[in-house]
Amino acid sequence: QIAKDKAEVKLLLPPGVESHTFEPTAADVISINESDIFLYTGKYMEPWVENIVSGSIDSDVKVRDVSSGVDLIKIEHDHDEVHEHDHDHIYDPHIWLDLSLACKIVDNIKSTLCEVDSVNANYYESNAKEYKSQLMILDQEIKSVVRDAKHKSIVFGGRFAHAYFVKRYGLGYKTAYRGCSAESEPSLQSISEIVKFIKDNDIP
């Protein structure tokens, strides 16, 4: 949406692959080193990036964390849920679910493109502005749906990755999982509380 025909954009992760636990192959590292720009969503979304940035990526590749400048939401843990592996799950990295933060991602990508390809800076500026206006239209549509909704709480049976969404749009939520870590499992009490909440509040 921002670079359009001025760049060849490649998604590194194959469809359906878990980004938190993805491990790049040698071919992936070669692909990154053949690029002008490498974008990622942050160390809590892609913890594997830090290792390859420090040792495997050429200095002439522009590396950009697109979550730069965003205040991340801290994930609440019960004391007995915290283990050594949870250091990668301290913060919720799914920032794009708040469309105002998605606009910050757009700005970070745009500024990186402008830095690397200054000749086309006006083109990237214009495209970014147009795309952000589309995101804000969608933002207002979601707010309208929430405002008129009968139910203002969402029940999550799976791993909870929507903290930014519920915060942005003023929604309540119930979840069996405290966060998005694949390492934890909900307690029987958590599941029972969710079942009761659904029944008590006539959640469809």
Side-chain angles (χ1 to χ4, degrees):
Q1 293 296 324
I2 306 164
K4 295 195 175 178
D5 61 346
K6 302 296 183 187
E8 179 185 348
V9 181
K10 180 181 179 181
L11 180 64
L12 188 65
L13 273 70
V17 171
E18 170 56 58
S19 64
H20 300 287
T21 56
F22 172 76
E23 290 293 338
T25 64
D28 292 328
V29 176
I30 291 171
S31 180
I32 292 170
N33 280 317
E34 290 176 344
S35 68
D36 299 299
I37 298 171
F38 174 56
L39 303 171
Y40 69 107
T41 321
K43 67 179 182 179
Y44 297 107
M45 189 68 195
E46 296 118 347
W48 49 269
V49 169
E50 288 189 320
N51 287 334
I52 63 169
V53 167
S54 62
S56 305
I57 298 183
D58 294 343
S59 59
D60 57 348
V61 178
K62 181 66 178 178
V63 178
R64 186 64 189 266
D65 174 355
V66 299
S67 68
S68 296
V70 175
D71 293 327
L72 301 180
I73 293 176
K74 197 165 188 177
I75 295 173
E76 295 293 330
H77 287 287
D78 288 336
H79 181 72
D80 59 356
E81 288 180 326
V82 180
H83 306 286
E84 288 184 13
H85 56 250
D86 283 327
H87 70 276
D88 287 335
H89 305 281
I90 297 170
Y91 294 97
D92 187 331
H94 306 89
I95 58 176
W96 61 88
L97 296 177
D98 174 339
L99 293 179
S100 68
L101 299 182
C103 286
K104 290 189 176 184
I105 293 175
V106 171
D107 283 335
N108 284 332
I109 295 172
K110 174 205 69 180
S111 65
T112 308
L113 287 165
C114 290
E115 184 179 340
V116 172
D117 182 24
S118 58
V119 172
N120 292 301
N122 289 339
Y123 181 78
Y124 302 134
E125 292 275 1
S126 176
N127 290 344
K129 183 178 180 181
E130 169 60 25
Y131 190 44
K132 287 196 296 180
S133 71
Q134 293 178 38
L135 290 173
M136 285 297 92
I137 288 171
L138 180 57
D139 181 72
Q140 291 303 313
E141 288 176 353
I142 295 172
K143 286 180 177 179
S144 177
V145 168
V146 171
R147 184 175 60 247
D148 298 333
K150 176 183 176 183
H151 297 281
K152 298 192 188 295
S153 290
I154 302 176
V155 178
F156 293 89
R159 309 195 186 282
F160 183 61
H162 290 70
Y164 297 92
F165 186 83
V166 297
K167 181 180 179 182
R168 173 69 177 176
Y169 302 109
L171 292 162
Y173 69 95
K174 271 281 188 183
T175 174
Y177 295 81
R178 289 287 182 154
C180 53
S181 171
E183 304 292 339
S184 61
E185 291 296 333
S187 65
L188 185 60
Q189 181 181 350
S190 295
I191 296 171
S192 298
E193 286 174 357
I194 281 186
V195 172
K196 185 176 187 302
F197 182 82
I198 291 171
K199 290 179 177 178
D200 290 348
N201 294 277
D202 194 27
I203 303 293

